[in-house]
Amino acid sequence: MKVKNSRKIIALILAGIIAVMMFGASPKTFAATSINSQIEEGTTSIVLSEDVNENVIIPKGKTVVLDLNGKTLTGSLDVLGTLTVKDGGSNGKISGMQVNVNGGTLTLESGTIEHLTTDSTGCGYGIYAYNGATVNVNGGTINSLDSAIASNNTTGFMTAKVAGGTLTAKQGPAIYMPTPISLEVTGGTLNGGISARMG
């Protein structure tokens, strides 16, 4: 009798393990220190479960959707691949950093990018795009000390498409593009205007 019961218990445990493996929740929710490791392991959709301080890199060739889920990401964020940022919660924020898009693609659907101080370069941009980068703003908010979206005339072509959202610069234009550019603004609110040349 004990042997039969033991077999039943083992069978139930194995069935539970198989069910979790087959029907586990997606997208996954990860703790603060695991964003980079999960990207390396192939996770394409990440939902923050807590405030995170991490230097996050989206490598070239990787595509990631990051749901801020009402939480705050601090540290640094470098986009060499493809990143979509959204906020499935309330007041989700990428805070205190300039988001660097180095040849990659960044799409902001919702949530806030906030950089209200200068960094080591002496600038306080919200998003700095270069080396053929693409920035799409479909919603959300970018609050910056200097330009909300910026590039540099020595670092190559960039593309920016603004279809929604609110871009605010405390000083200077909301969009600063001193470089050969492709710029489309079809919606949204720009608090600070546009400075474009060489393209």
Side-chain angles (χ1 to χ4, degrees):
M1 192 70 179
K2 289 182 179 179
V3 173
K4 287 183 179 179
N5 286 339
S6 297
R7 286 178 180 170
K8 285 181 181 178
I9 292 169
I10 292 169
L12 287 171
I13 291 171
L14 288 173
I17 292 170
I18 291 168
V20 169
M21 290 174 65
M22 291 180 67
F23 304 108
S26 182
K28 297 177 182 177
T29 300
F30 298 107
T33 57
S34 64
I35 294 177
N36 285 321
S37 61
Q38 294 301 323
I39 291 171
E40 289 171 7
E41 290 172 10
T43 301
T44 58
S45 188
I46 297 174
V47 182
L48 297 188
S49 61
E50 60 190 70
D51 292 343
V52 175
N53 186 305
E54 184 175 0
N55 297 329
V56 177
I57 298 174
I58 311 300
K60 189 174 181 179
K62 297 283 187 179
T63 298
V64 176
V65 176
L66 176 63
D67 186 346
L68 299 172
N69 192 34
K71 306 302 188 290
T72 299
L73 172 64
T74 55
S76 65
L77 178 56
D78 292 279
V79 182
L80 289 77
T82 300
L83 175 66
T84 298
V85 175
K86 64 180 183 178
D87 182 20
S90 178
N91 299 318
K93 187 182 295 185
I94 296 172
S95 182
M97 70 177 82
Q98 171 179 290
V99 177
N100 295 303
V101 187
N102 180 3
T105 299
L106 171 66
T107 300
L108 178 63
E109 296 289 352
S110 55
T112 297
I113 294 173
E114 186 173 85
H115 186 208
L116 300 176
T117 60
T118 57
D119 55 24
S120 59
T121 67
C123 299
Y125 300 134
I127 298 171
Y128 181 68
Y130 55 107
N131 289 337
T134 297
V135 176
N136 303 306
V137 181
N138 298 323
T141 301
I142 305 173
N143 295 321
S144 58
L145 177 64
D146 297 315
S147 300
I149 300 174
S151 61
N152 187 290
N153 64 351
T154 64
T155 54
F157 188 81
M158 73 157 291
T159 297
K161 295 181 180 180
V162 179
T166 302
L167 282 63
T168 302
K170 285 195 168 185
Q171 56 189 33
I175 299 175
Y176 175 55
M177 290 186 161
T179 183
I181 60 167
S182 173
L183 173 62
E184 253 181 53
V185 179
T186 58
T189 300
L190 306 182
N191 296 316
I194 299 171
S195 175
R197 60 188 175 90
M198 291 181 65

